Every structure is written in C-alpha cells, then in structure tokens.
C-alpha cells in the first residue's frame, strides 16, 4: 500500500507557458499550472463547468522535456506527489504553497 501514499494523477491543460529556472548546479526546474475541468448539471439542469488550478514543478530530465515541447494550452497527464512549503515575501508576509512534484509526464492531444 505504500505505492498509493501521497500519489496524484491529473489530466489537464497548461494555463501558461512553463517557467524554466536553471539552477547553479546545472539542473533545470520547470514550473507551470494546469487546469482540470469537471462538468456537471446543477439542480436546475444547467450545465456547469468547475475548473480547478494546480501548481506543478518538475526537475531534471522531465523539466528539459517540458521546456522543449510544452506551451500554454497543451493537454498533459502528470503523476507525482503533493508537497507543501512556506516562504516569506519581501514585505515579510508568510505564504503557504501546495504543489505537485511531477515524477512522470505524458503529452496528450495532437
């Protein structure tokens, strides 16, 4: 059952072009967001689309593939784990972020 702990699988569309960061060590980091949509009918029978946004980070070879092939709007399937971190803004405010650390990526669509 350990294989199921903290595992996330999503299919969605990139909301922006990936941001690529080159680390001092030479490793690449890719940051991007994906949107997942759920469509259902409300009590009045009206079609409703619920969009959720997910922040994704990828490292190394996966980040290199993302840099080379992905742009805003591309449909992807990702597998990874949820990670949480905190940071402080320049104004001294504490911020909390939950991201998906991408382990596997599958490019979908055309």
């Amino acid at each position: 059952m350990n294989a199921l702990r903290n595992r996330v699988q999503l299919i969605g569309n990139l909301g922006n072009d990936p941001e690529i960061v080159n680390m001092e060590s030479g490793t690449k980091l890719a940051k991007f967001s994906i949107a997942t949509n759920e469509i259902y009918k409300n009590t009045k029978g009206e079609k409703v689309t619920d969009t959720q946004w997910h922040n994704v980070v990828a490292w190394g070879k996966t980040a290199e593939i993302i840099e080379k092939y992905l742009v805003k709007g591309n449909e992807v399937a990702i597998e990874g784990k949820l990670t949480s971190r905190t940071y402080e803004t320049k104004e001294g405010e504490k911020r909390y972020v939950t991201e998906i650390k991408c382990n596997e990526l599958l490019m979908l669509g055309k």
Side-chain angles (χ1 to χ4, degrees):
M1 279 295 197
N2 279 341
L4 297 177
R5 293 185 194 267
N6 195 4
R7 184 172 176 181
V8 177
Q9 295 178 323
L10 295 172
I11 295 176
N13 296 84
L14 270 71
N16 52 2
D17 288 339
E19 176 188 342
I20 305 300
V21 179
N22 292 303
M23 308 303 279
E24 288 180 17
S25 64
T27 305
K28 287 190 187 254
L29 166 65
K31 299 179 188 180
F32 59 98
S33 62
I34 65 170
T36 55
N37 295 313
E38 180 181 358
I39 300 170
Y40 62 92
K41 289 189 179 180
N42 64 15
T43 54
K44 297 178 183 176
E46 301 166 331
K47 186 173 149 181
V48 177
T49 301
D50 180 34
T51 302
Q52 297 292 317
W53 288 94
H54 313 276
N55 295 320
V56 182
V57 295
W59 293 87
K61 289 285 185 194
T62 306
E64 291 173 18
I65 291 167
I66 290 166
E67 178 182 32
K68 193 170 182 179
Y69 296 107
L70 294 184
V71 295
K72 178 180 179 176
N74 285 149
E75 186 177 29
V76 294
I78 63 161
E79 187 273 327
K81 68 178 188 172
L82 284 177
T83 59
S84 297
R85 61 183 175 88
T86 61
Y87 68 94
E88 216 171 274
T89 65
K90 291 177 183 175
E91 294 78 30
E93 297 176 27
K94 201 168 194 177
R95 298 281 170 96
Y96 300 89
V97 178
T98 300
E99 301 168 318
I100 300 163
K101 182 180 176 216
C102 178
N103 296 326
E104 292 189 40
L105 173 83
L106 180 61
M107 294 175 274
L108 305 172
K110 298 177 183 179

